[in-house]
Each structure stands twice: as C-alpha cells, then as structure tokens.
Amino acid sequence: MKYIAGIDVGGMTVKIGLFDGEGTLLEKWAIPTRTDGGGEQILPDTADSLREHLEKAGASLSDLTGAGIGVPGAVMRDGTVNRCVNLGWGVFSLTEALSSLLCGIPVFAGNDANVAALGEQWKGGGKGCRSIVMVTLGTGVGGGVVIDGNILIGAHGAAGEIGHIQMREDEPETCGCGKHGCLEQYASARGIARVTKLYLKEHPEKESSLRSADHISARVLFDEAKKGDATALEIVEIVCGYLGRGLAAVAEVVDPEAFVIGGGVSNAGTILTDTIQKYYVQSVFHASRGTKFVLAELGNDAGIYGAARLVLNG
Amino acid sequence: MKYIAGIDVGGMTVKIGLFDGEGTLLEKWAIPTRTDGGGEQILPDTADSLREHLEKAGASLSDLTGAGIGVPGAVMRDGTVNRCVNLGWGVFSLTEALSSLLCGIPVFAGNDANVAALGEQWKGGGKGCRSIVMVTLGTGVGGGVVIDGNILIGAHGAAGEIGHIQMREDEPETCGCGKHGCLEQYASARGIARVTKLYLKEHPEKESSLRSADHISARVLFDEAKKGDATALEIVEIVCGYLGRGLAAVAEVVDPEAFVIGGGVSNAGTILTDTIQKYYVQSVFHASRGTKFVLAELGNDAGIYGAARLVLNG
C-alpha cells in the first residue's frame, strides 16, 4: 500500500494526516511544535512521528509516495520558506529539508492559509467548485485563492492577503501590518470586538444585552444578535458590510465560483454568510452577483487535506 | 509553411494578424466591422479576408494551424460568447462558428481586454513576467489578469473587471454599471475629465492653465501637469491616488509581478506610472511593494498578439 502525508505546521501543534494514494484520510494525529532552538526540531519530529505511525501500520517511510506541508509564512514557488516568525524559521528550502528526512520522496509546500483553502476546495465547503476564495476570520483575516484546483501563490507569495485590502482611508487606529483601514481591523475576531466596543461607546443611548456581557467578543456579538438584540444586529450589519464590500473587490479581480468562510468567527453560521452576501450583491459588478457563499467544513483538518492535495496535484 | 491567425474584433474594425508557427507577426491588416444584421457578417468577412491574404502569400486556409479571437464581451471557458452588445451578437459558440468557417481548425476565444493583457504579457510591457495585471485606461477602465501565462477568466467571465472596484461609498454620481464610486468613475478618460472639472469648480480660487483650455480631457490634464501647472499636478495626484489604492487591492488578491498600464490615457507616460506607483506603495501590503509598473508597448496590436498566443497556449 502507498501512502501520502499531509502536514500542517502551527505554532502550537503539528497536525499530521496519513492518506492513501487516492487521497482518503486513513489516520490523523498531532504532535507538539518545538519552536525552541530556531525551530530546528520541527521537521525531524514530524518525520519521526510519521515513521512511528507507519511502522504501527506495518509500513515504513519508503511506502510514502509524497508529502505536502503547510506552514505559517510565505513559501516561494521553489519550496523556499521566507521566514516563519512563529516557528523561529529563517530562509531555507523547506521541500529539500523535509524530503531528505523522508527518504528523498517528493515534498510540496505552501502557506498554511493557502493550503487550507485548497483543502476546502477539494473536500470541504468548496467541493465541486473549480475556483474559490477562502476567507479565514480568526485572529486576523486570512485568505487563500484557488484557481482551477491550484493555489495562487503570487509573485511575492502574497496572493490572498485579503485581510489587508484597505477599506477606509480615515481609520485612526493602526493595523498590525502598519497600514490604516485594513479589512482585518473590522472583520477579524479582534476587529469585530473592537467595532462592537466602539459602537456601544459612540451610541450610549442604545440599550443592548451586550452592555451586560462580561467580555465583548465576536462570539458574544453574534450570539446576542441571534437572540434578537437590535443593537447587536446593527453591529453585525456593519461588520458584514465591510466583508461584503471587501469580497466584492476580490470578485472584481478573480471572480471565484464561491467564497468559503472559515475560522473561529464562522461558527456564527449562516447569519454571517447571509449578511455578507447581502452587502456583496449590492457592491459587486453584475456579472458576479451569483457567487456562492458557503461555510468552511473541514475545521482544523483543512490544512492536512490541502497538504495531501498538493501531492496529488504534483 | 504553417500559419496562426490572431483576430481582434472591435466595434469599428476587425484587426487581423498572420503569424508563423513560432508566433512571429508576418503581416497585419484591418477590415471594417459590419455590425448590421446582428453582426452575422463579422466572422464570414474575417474568414474571407484571411483566405485572400493567405492566397496572396501563395497559401490557403488549410495552412492555418489555429486561430485566436478576442471580442468585446464575456467569453465562457467553452468558447461561448455571452452577448457582445457592440457587435449585435447574442449567445452562441464563437469557437465553433469561426472554426467551421476556417476548415475546422482549432479556434480559441477570449474577452478582448483579457486577450490584450495576454499579448502584453507575451510580447509587450509585461515581457519576461509570468503574471501581470493589465489596466486599460480608455473610455472605461478595463483589466486583464494573466497568471503563469494564461488568462484568468473567472467563474462568470468577470475576472479582471477592476474598473468596478468600489473606491468610495459617498459618490453621488452613478457609474455606467449602475453602482456608485467605481474606480472607472475617477480613472477612465471620462472619469479623469470629470474629476478635473469638479476640482476646478470646487476650487475657484486656484489659478490654472486648465481654465483657459477649450476642452477638458485626460490628455489636456496630463499635458498641463507636465508643463508644471500646479493645479493640474494636484489633480494628477488625486486621479493616480485612486488608481494606486485600487491596484493595491488588486495586489492583495493576485500579487502580480507587474502592472501594465495601457489605453489612451497611458500616452501620458511615466508621470502616470510613477504617480500611481507612489500611492500603490503607500497602500499595499509590505510583501508586494516591489511590484513593477510599466507602460503597455503594443498599442492596438496587443489584441492580435494575445489572440495568437491563445493558439500557442493550446
């Protein structure tokens, strides 16, 4: 039997999936990410863990036909990583380094957000679509563009950085990237909490169940909106307005078949996708009004699926 | 000898180029576009003209190995056109219709702006780049996205409609597309003239050589700016500010190697590209700051080059 490994390196854990040659997930597990010492143990740890699991299945590393790996940083077309700050990594050939630990098998690498987008296009919310844009609403706003089943990398590894589309020129606060008015400042989990607090402060006359919450978060906002709190619903409209207009700009460029919305914020469910879509349809060029909005389906497994798909894409 | 035909159908003329099998342009000419009768003569006229020119060269239609064609409308992946209003065309298989007039040779079709982008990427301002976004500043603001040497079509044939990225929410005037605040309203030839007139009206205190011009146009604006008129220079900054911020949004999505700026407005030269780039660098995510800004080089021939390239891409 031949195997494919799908690896998703995060700042806390390395998720590993073992797939058969057709891309069916056989087994998945995670190991801690050891970031000390410049993260030099991460790849050997991963290879050791793969070897152990293969041996338990009565196989060995030589039964792997390929491995895919997603990492939190820019990955160039030739498999070179260009600094993964969270892992302590500098610049080196990720594909060569991992391949040499895995008996020289072909290794394919990508940025984690892009690889997760590929996973969702293949087996998740975007299944059946040739081209999707995945939008990950988490700590930041991440993005991944998949065209005809392949990740769009970009000339500087920066395709899909849609969280940094500038939505407002008059934003006084600074984004983590140093710019002002990025989509991420309004639509990430942190951005949504910020917008919510600001709205409550600027509208002291508005009553809201949000005012009695211990802690304002994106989750609390959507929970109160779903319970019918009028002020929370107004804030949801504001946040989704930014997303709808931002994704309309994305559609003017790549015109995807679907937007797949993932990340922690997407646990809010269809109130999120429906409201984003409402503003999208108002803003987008008429030809692209029919674009689908779907929720991501693979959760934390999107990365290992996408990594395996990198191998199948060859 | 084997030939390739590159055809660019415009509302007034059909431009035709005859290329050798390696893609060298041997001869080019144009015929009138007969749009009467639902434009049903356009393809037969084109085929007849190709036959005549091939016969003059001692060849025949059977020496053509393929033809590419760009048309002013949306073209689906399967070669179906979806209405070309300027030609009187409805919905039909453009590739099949032209192929049957050309002895059954393979025909490849695309939207004219996209095909011109491919021509510029292959032989023009974007030569040597794998991925470019072409921006055509003419009556409208057109766009074409080329990724790894192939046109990005989009799920609804609307990729590259960058003229309809919304730049302002408070724009009172309506764009031709029915939306408000599209990039085209500030940066097309007409949009630039509009912005110029508005600025002169809103700043009656500002002296300017523009006030004595017979007619305000994008060309007049850039001419006066290049002569050093301070007010004209201020307006150039405004117009290029919209373009720089709009193209930054484009780069967050596809991160091209270069932006190729064409269309009538691009005759202004490097004052245009330099000023756009200044605002682009201020707005774009840091990884993409190095994107090149170049002027288009093929002028009206971009379409026939791109059409020939469609054939070579296969």
Side-chain angles (χ1 to χ4, degrees), chain A residues 19 64 66 86 121 162 190:
Chain A
F19 297 76
L64 279 178
N86 295 342
Q121 182 263 340
I162 62 174
R190 193 183 299 172

PDB file of all heavy atoms in Angstrom, chain A residues 19 64 66 86 121 162 190:
ATOM      1  N   PHE A  19      -2.790   9.592   4.359  1.00  0.00           N
ATOM      2  CA  PHE A  19      -3.811   9.366   3.325  1.00  0.00           C
ATOM      3  C   PHE A  19      -3.394   8.194   2.452  1.00  0.00           C
ATOM      4  O   PHE A  19      -2.210   7.914   2.314  1.00  0.00           O
ATOM      5  CB  PHE A  19      -3.951  10.608   2.426  1.00  0.00           C
ATOM      6  CG  PHE A  19      -4.427  11.848   3.137  1.00  0.00           C
ATOM      7  CD1 PHE A  19      -3.562  12.581   3.944  1.00  0.00           C
ATOM      8  CD2 PHE A  19      -5.732  12.295   2.994  1.00  0.00           C
ATOM      9  CE1 PHE A  19      -3.996  13.727   4.587  1.00  0.00           C
ATOM     10  CE2 PHE A  19      -6.176  13.448   3.635  1.00  0.00           C
ATOM     11  CZ  PHE A  19      -5.303  14.163   4.440  1.00  0.00           C
ATOM     12  N   LEU A  64       5.811   5.885   1.645  1.00  0.00           N
ATOM     13  CA  LEU A  64       5.252   7.202   1.325  1.00  0.00           C
ATOM     14  C   LEU A  64       5.621   7.564  -0.116  1.00  0.00           C
ATOM     15  O   LEU A  64       6.783   7.449  -0.505  1.00  0.00           O
ATOM     16  CB  LEU A  64       5.840   8.286   2.240  1.00  0.00           C
ATOM     17  CG  LEU A  64       5.269   8.478   3.637  1.00  0.00           C
ATOM     18  CD1 LEU A  64       6.066   9.586   4.351  1.00  0.00           C
ATOM     19  CD2 LEU A  64       3.791   8.856   3.591  1.00  0.00           C
ATOM     20  N   GLY A  66       4.723  10.656  -1.312  1.00  0.00           N
ATOM     21  CA  GLY A  66       4.892  12.105  -1.330  1.00  0.00           C
ATOM     22  C   GLY A  66       4.358  12.705  -0.048  1.00  0.00           C
ATOM     23  O   GLY A  66       3.574  12.073   0.668  1.00  0.00           O
ATOM     24  N   ASN A  86       6.614  32.654  13.770  1.00  0.00           N
ATOM     25  CA  ASN A  86       6.051  31.873  14.876  1.00  0.00           C
ATOM     26  C   ASN A  86       6.800  30.569  15.122  1.00  0.00           C
ATOM     27  O   ASN A  86       6.642  29.948  16.167  1.00  0.00           O
ATOM     28  CB  ASN A  86       4.585  31.523  14.607  1.00  0.00           C
ATOM     29  CG  ASN A  86       3.720  32.758  14.576  1.00  0.00           C
ATOM     30  OD1 ASN A  86       4.121  33.815  15.073  1.00  0.00           O
ATOM     31  ND2 ASN A  86       2.548  32.636  13.979  1.00  0.00           N
ATOM     32  N   GLN A 121     -11.442  23.553  -0.918  1.00  0.00           N
ATOM     33  CA  GLN A 121     -11.906  23.454  -2.312  1.00  0.00           C
ATOM     34  C   GLN A 121     -12.041  21.989  -2.715  1.00  0.00           C
ATOM     35  O   GLN A 121     -12.946  21.611  -3.452  1.00  0.00           O
ATOM     36  CB  GLN A 121     -10.923  24.189  -3.233  1.00  0.00           C
ATOM     37  CG  GLN A 121     -11.307  24.209  -4.708  1.00  0.00           C
ATOM     38  CD  GLN A 121     -10.617  23.120  -5.514  1.00  0.00           C
ATOM     39  OE1 GLN A 121      -9.597  22.580  -5.092  1.00  0.00           O
ATOM     40  NE2 GLN A 121     -11.179  22.786  -6.658  1.00  0.00           N
ATOM     41  N   ILE A 162      -6.052  39.093   1.645  1.00  0.00           N
ATOM     42  CA  ILE A 162      -7.217  39.964   1.505  1.00  0.00           C
ATOM     43  C   ILE A 162      -7.573  40.697   2.790  1.00  0.00           C
ATOM     44  O   ILE A 162      -8.326  41.657   2.757  1.00  0.00           O
ATOM     45  CB  ILE A 162      -8.434  39.183   0.982  1.00  0.00           C
ATOM     46  CG1 ILE A 162      -8.833  38.095   1.961  1.00  0.00           C
ATOM     47  CG2 ILE A 162      -8.127  38.560  -0.377  1.00  0.00           C
ATOM     48  CD1 ILE A 162     -10.105  37.389   1.562  1.00  0.00           C
ATOM     49  N   ARG A 190     -10.732  39.947  16.550  1.00  0.00           N
ATOM     50  CA  ARG A 190     -10.347  41.118  17.327  1.00  0.00           C
ATOM     51  C   ARG A 190     -10.993  42.385  16.759  1.00  0.00           C
ATOM     52  O   ARG A 190     -11.456  43.253  17.499  1.00  0.00           O
ATOM     53  CB  ARG A 190      -8.817  41.252  17.294  1.00  0.00           C
ATOM     54  CG  ARG A 190      -8.247  42.225  18.293  1.00  0.00           C
ATOM     55  CD  ARG A 190      -6.740  42.347  18.131  1.00  0.00           C
ATOM     56  NE  ARG A 190      -6.080  41.058  18.353  1.00  0.00           N
ATOM     57  CZ  ARG A 190      -4.790  40.838  18.129  1.00  0.00           C
ATOM     58  NH1 ARG A 190      -4.008  41.799  17.666  1.00  0.00           N
ATOM     59  NH2 ARG A 190      -4.261  39.647  18.363  1.00  0.00           N
TER      60      ARG A 190
END
